[in-house]
Amino acid sequence: MSDCGDSDAGWIFYKDRPDWNDIKPVPEDDGITPVVVIAHSEKFEDVYDYFRAILQKDEKSQRALELTKDAVELNSANYTVWQYRRELLKELGTDLRSELDYVESVIKISPKNYQVWHHRRVLVEWLQDPSQELDLTAEALLHDPKNYHAWQHRQWAIKSFRLYDKEIEFVDSLLSDDVRNNSAWNQRYFVHNNHTGWSDMNVQREICYTLEKIKFVKNNESAWNYLRGILLHDKRGINGNGVVTAFCEELYKNRCRSPFLLAFIIDVCEEAIKKNETNGFHNVERAKELCTALATKYDKIREKYWMYLRDRFEMYVCVNGENSQ
Amino acid sequence: MSFKTKDVVLSQTRPTTLLLQKHADYLASYGLNKDDFEYCMTEYLRMSGIYWSLTAMELMDQSSRMPKDDIIEFISLCQDSESGGISASNGHDPHMLYTLSAVQVLAMYDRSDAINIDGVVKFVVSLQQDDGSFFGDKWGEVDTRFSFCAVMTLSLLHRLDAINVNRAVDFVLSCMNFDGGFGSKPGSESHAGLIYCCVGTLSICKRMDALKVDELAWWLCERQLPSGGLNGRPEKLPDLCYSWWVMASLSMLNRIHWVDQEKLEQYILACQDSETGGFSDRPGDITDPFHTLFGLAGLSLLGNSSIKQVNPTYCMPQETIDRLRLEPQILLI
Ligand SMILES: [Zn+2]
């Protein structure tokens, strides 16, 4: 049923189908007294009245399987329809390969629906065959690179069936399309964290990669967050990596005032203060100055947050002052 | 340097005051119009629909306009005698989401006696896995949303001790990301709705100490866009329901004052439809009960005095939470 206009013209109501005349339709009964009863959509009502009837009878038949298709088409978010469909598939021993094709076609129409993706996952588990999942999710992500359902499904398949090999390439291609794609950055972390690991060399390589991307677009929340995430695995911490701090100071010197850069330098200052490693660039005064700049000029909408941080640095001064006495 | 931001622009003619009575009228007619195509389309989530509408009406102090007896009878009908779980509508399969909605509605009505409480407890317990996570139903989808549903449901029934709380907390913490946020499963991207579920779980289990508070709160503040609205992930458009999830999380973290509350209020008010009543996801879109609840609840968190106080963890009137003597944790700064 691709063109709804044409296909609806040839539609025969279940109540008019001879092969269904043994079934008595069951209207919705939710106990709430109706105020007005007028037919909303005759087709919808017809299909679901018959669906309720077979559910009540617990009929496991081919015609029931066909009926669930019509029910899904009218509302693919109805979880009971999908559950019943799975029970039918099991009971009838239906060819699960054709079911994979079917659910793929539904995913294409409703890519943001929990039920369809869950159905897909159950099928892949039953078949123990993940060979189509990377292509399927890549296709969905082509249309919506941040589709949470598609990413979840992809991560599940990769983790369950160890499909890590080409994932970084895939992430690369998404990031070259849109360097601000937070989902892709998250996926990058996922691959390293679960597969590649955080060897020193890998950490340094990731840092270089990220700095390159930041050089390209400075005001990119996702890349800066990723940089922090990577530095969690650098023994020298957020303030100890000379490449990173030099990079930041270079940007600053070249008049970049992206709030993310300033926020990052503040974090570097904070860690330097905590570790007693302050220097001319990273110290309480600099941190306070940056907080003020963010609050009053570069990120005014979060003024309260930056002033809170500024006050906290004020307190470091007090504490340090007491310590030194 | 490019500063492009995905956002909306609020129009000059947007609503700037709260149209309370319009919203109450909208909800009073919405739930019961069986001639409404929407009514038939939403059967699969009716139980949640009732929770959204009733909570919104409670917050506006007009819940007497809802058909209380019918609703309670409907909920009894939706409990599955075998599993003990509750479904979205009569004849549907029981699910964690609708079990929670039903329990929330009965809590507001102070009528938990209308269902078999032991059955609900049995259902929730049966869905906990070895790693502490929860399935949503027997088909085995794991999601931090369901962890939140589980602890919320049980705490409202004063039966939190029936599950392994430590493991439930451990699972949620295993979903914490490098940016301090949370996703649906370990490794899934941080997402404001799921952060709300995870922070809420820790609030109910009184384990907020395990959060990376400042990192998380900053991530949440970053969700505010120049329009004042909040998005759910970086580079996404603002949305009223995400605004609620971010605000409620910040409230549990006791840091809601970190966002620009004045601008946020303007955004929320702009999402009202002055003709039909109700709130939508973004200014000018079609309204629905879901966004209407989160619009009202959001304004309540911002201190609007014509709306009752909402509890940020439960998204229910504070008076209900007080009556049940529940004390979800709120961080001290
Ligand atoms: Zn929304």
Side-chain angles (χ1 to χ4, degrees):
Chain A
M1 313 239 158
S2 45
D3 298 320
C4 37
D6 286 340
S7 61
D8 260 21
W11 175 258
I12 302 167
F13 287 104
Y14 277 83
K15 61 180 186 236
D16 299 330
R17 297 184 191 190
D19 49 335
W20 281 87
N21 67 11
D22 57 312
I23 299 286
K24 194 174 173 296
V26 178
E28 188 190 351
D29 168 25
D30 57 14
I32 300 180
T33 329
V35 180
V36 217
V37 183
I38 303 173
H40 9 257
S41 152
E42 234 186 320
K43 180 178 176 183
F44 192 104
E45 203 161 279
D46 178 63
V47 168
Y48 275 88
D49 286 357
Y50 278 82
F51 175 67
R52 278 182 218 100
I54 56 150
L55 200 63
Q56 224 169 61
K57 269 185 70 196
D58 199 25
E59 176 180 313
K60 302 280 164 62
S61 63
Q62 194 58 38
R63 69 173 183 182
L65 194 66
E66 293 302 317
L67 174 65
T68 57
K69 254 191 198 176
D70 284 329
V72 160
E73 194 189 316
L74 289 164
N75 181 6
S76 61
N78 189 317
Y79 68 108
T80 299
V81 173
W82 285 108
Q83 290 203 3
Y84 198 67
R85 188 168 172 88
R86 281 190 288 274
E87 281 165 24
L88 289 166
L89 291 172
K90 272 211 154 157
E91 190 94 3
L92 302 173
T94 311
D95 172 24
L96 295 178
R97 300 265 156 203
S98 63
E99 186 69 6
L100 273 185
D101 295 341
Y102 166 65
V103 73
E104 179 171 348
S105 69
V106 185
I107 284 174
K108 284 196 172 134
I109 300 164
S110 315
K112 286 196 166 184
N113 167 315
Y114 283 101
Q115 277 71 35
V116 274
W117 285 102
H118 185 62
H119 190 67
R120 178 78 187 190
R121 180 180 152 174
V122 174
L123 293 176
V124 173
E125 270 171 346
W126 283 352
L127 286 163
Q128 280 298 303
D129 174 12
S131 58
Q132 296 178 51
E133 302 321 288
L134 295 185
D135 286 347
L136 173 83
T137 48
E139 167 84 13
L141 293 171
L142 189 69
H143 297 290
D144 176 6
K146 296 172 190 172
N147 181 334
Y148 207 81
H149 305 278
W151 279 113
Q152 281 193 109
H153 187 77
R154 192 174 179 92
Q155 288 196 345
W156 166 78
I158 290 176
K159 215 171 174 173
S160 311
F161 299 95
R162 313 282 316 158
L163 307 175
Y164 290 101
D165 289 356
K166 292 190 170 155
E167 194 57 7
I168 285 292
E169 272 171 49
F170 178 69
V171 169
D172 268 344
S173 74
L174 286 179
L175 287 178
S176 35
D177 288 347
D178 174 14
V179 75
R180 300 168 190 260
N181 182 343
N182 196 57
S183 308
W185 285 103
N186 184 70
Q187 186 72 347
R188 199 171 178 93
Y189 195 89
F190 171 83
V191 174
H192 290 300
N193 208 39
N194 290 293
H195 184 63
T196 330
W198 299 112
S199 67
D200 255 3
M201 206 177 80
N202 198 33
V203 170
Q204 296 320 311
R205 205 172 45 205
E206 280 308 288
I207 287 172
C208 292
Y209 178 88
T210 311
L211 297 183
E212 274 308 310
K213 294 290 184 194
I214 291 176
K215 220 185 264 175
F216 173 55
V217 175
K218 281 121 194 141
N219 206 41
N220 180 355
E221 177 182 1
S222 305
W224 285 103
N225 278 346
Y226 184 74
L227 180 61
R228 276 193 187 75
I230 298 301
L231 286 168
L232 290 175
H233 303 280
D234 186 324
K235 287 187 281 297
R236 292 163 296 181
I238 199 169
N239 74 323
N241 189 310
V243 177
V244 175
T245 48
F247 174 84
C248 292
E249 292 314 326
E250 185 67 21
L251 281 186
Y252 191 85
K253 206 176 74 193
N254 289 325
R255 300 222 169 75
C256 171
R257 292 295 180 271
S258 158
F260 302 113
L261 168 67
L262 306 193
F264 190 86
I265 300 178
I266 291 175
D267 283 358
V268 174
C269 292
E270 180 163 20
E271 192 160 300
I273 296 164
K274 281 183 179 157
K275 292 182 358 195
N276 243 326
E277 292 172 5
T278 50
N279 57 39
F281 284 110
H282 305 125
N283 52 55
V284 173
E285 281 316 310
R286 177 95 187 283
K288 279 165 54 187
E289 183 190 308
L290 290 172
C291 287
T292 308
L294 282 160
T296 57
K297 197 160 175 194
Y298 301 110
D299 195 27
K300 283 194 225 168
I301 201 163
R302 276 165 282 276
E303 177 198 346
K304 301 262 172 44
Y305 170 70
W306 297 119
M307 291 320 277
Y308 158 86
L309 262 199
R310 192 179 189 286
D311 290 348
R312 217 173 57 183
F313 281 111
E314 203 76 63
M315 270 154 45
Y316 279 128
V317 180
C318 301
V319 174
N320 285 350
E322 278 166 27
N323 283 350
S324 59
Q325 277 168 7
Chain B
M1 193 186 314
S2 93
F3 275 97
K4 78 165 180 163
T5 313
K6 288 194 178 135
D7 197 2
V8 295
V9 177
L10 304 188
S11 86
Q12 291 294 317
T13 55
R14 66 181 191 267
T16 52
T17 55
L18 176 61
L19 311 167
L20 197 81
Q21 202 48 44
K22 284 242 171 223
H23 304 318
D25 294 345
Y26 165 72
L27 290 174
S29 63
Y30 189 94
L32 295 173
N33 259 336
K34 289 208 172 183
D35 57 337
D36 206 335
F37 179 63
E38 208 64 39
Y39 186 84
C40 160
M41 280 298 288
T42 53
E43 180 193 355
Y44 73 100
L45 46 71
R46 172 124 334 123
M47 191 62 76
S48 294
I50 292 175
Y51 156 74
W52 299 325
S53 295
L54 179 67
T55 309
M57 286 298 230
E58 281 275 349
L59 291 175
M60 293 185 286
D61 205 12
Q62 298 202 27
S63 62
S64 58
R65 296 175 70 183
M66 299 286 284
K68 180 174 175 178
D69 295 338
D70 288 347
I71 288 174
I72 291 170
E73 193 198 325
F74 170 68
I75 294 176
S76 316
L77 270 176
C78 291
Q79 185 168 27
D80 172 40
S81 54
E82 207 176 301
S83 66
I86 296 169
S87 59
S89 196
N90 193 9
H92 286 233
D93 291 306
H95 196 285
M96 189 76 98
L97 291 169
Y98 309 111
T99 302
L100 169 63
S101 294
V103 167
Q104 286 176 303
V105 168
L106 293 175
M108 284 184 270
Y109 279 141
D110 199 12
R111 281 300 310 278
S112 300
D113 61 293
I115 45 165
N116 175 353
I117 293 177
D118 287 338
V120 170
V121 174
K122 183 181 79 175
F123 178 71
V124 174
V125 168
S126 75
L127 294 173
Q128 189 171 30
Q129 307 304 304
D130 284 342
D131 64 357
S133 67
F134 284 85
F135 286 175
D137 60 20
K138 66 176 175 182
W139 287 97
E141 187 196 348
V142 164
D143 193 307
T144 46
R145 288 185 302 154
F146 306 140
S147 300
F148 187 41
C149 292
V151 300
M152 213 185 330
T153 301
L154 293 179
S155 66
L156 287 167
L157 298 170
H158 299 288
R159 296 290 292 276
L160 198 53
D161 57 334
I163 52 161
N164 188 325
V165 172
N166 286 334
R167 280 201 190 168
V169 168
D170 287 346
F171 176 74
V172 163
L173 292 177
S174 76
C175 299
M176 193 193 290
N177 288 322
F178 58 86
D179 52 21
F182 294 84
S184 58
K185 298 180 180 67
S188 294
E189 184 186 2
S190 294
H191 175 290
L194 298 162
I195 289 174
Y196 168 66
C197 293
C198 293
V199 174
T201 303
L202 299 174
S203 162
I204 290 171
C205 299
K206 302 192 183 359
R207 287 291 308 281
M208 302 267 284
D209 55 278
L211 290 166
K212 293 184 190 168
V213 180
D214 282 342
E215 236 172 308
L216 172 58
W218 184 53
W219 191 92
L220 290 166
C221 288
E222 282 297 327
R223 307 281 54 80
Q224 190 164 35
L225 299 166
S227 66
L230 305 166
N231 63 14
R233 286 187 273 162
E235 295 295 314
K236 300 280 274 185
L237 284 171
D239 184 326
L240 189 53
C241 61
Y242 285 100
S243 302
W244 158 259
W245 289 320
V246 172
M247 285 161 79
S249 303
L250 282 170
S251 295
M252 289 185 261
L253 299 173
N254 214 336
R255 283 158 170 82
I256 194 170
H257 53 279
W258 282 2
V259 296
D260 187 326
Q261 301 192 37
E262 210 171 298
K263 281 195 151 184
L264 178 52
E265 185 180 14
Q266 281 172 20
Y267 176 84
I268 299 177
L269 291 172
C271 291
Q272 299 176 105
D273 187 320
S274 55
E275 276 169 41
T276 60
F279 292 74
S280 57
D281 57 354
R282 281 180 279 283
D285 286 356
I286 295 172
T287 62
D288 60 70
F290 175 78
H291 289 96
T292 302
L293 168 61
F294 294 133
L296 292 165
L299 291 172
S300 169
L301 282 185
L302 292 177
N304 188 305
S305 57
S306 46
I307 303 171
K308 283 193 203 170
Q309 194 190 342
V310 70
N311 179 278
T313 306
Y314 286 88
C315 195
M316 288 163 66
Q318 184 61 41
E319 58 188 33
T320 306
I321 302 306
D322 291 342
R323 172 165 49 71
L324 291 168
R325 295 171 200 278
L326 295 170
E327 288 177 353
Q329 188 182 4
I330 301 254
L331 273 189
L332 298 170
I333 271 206

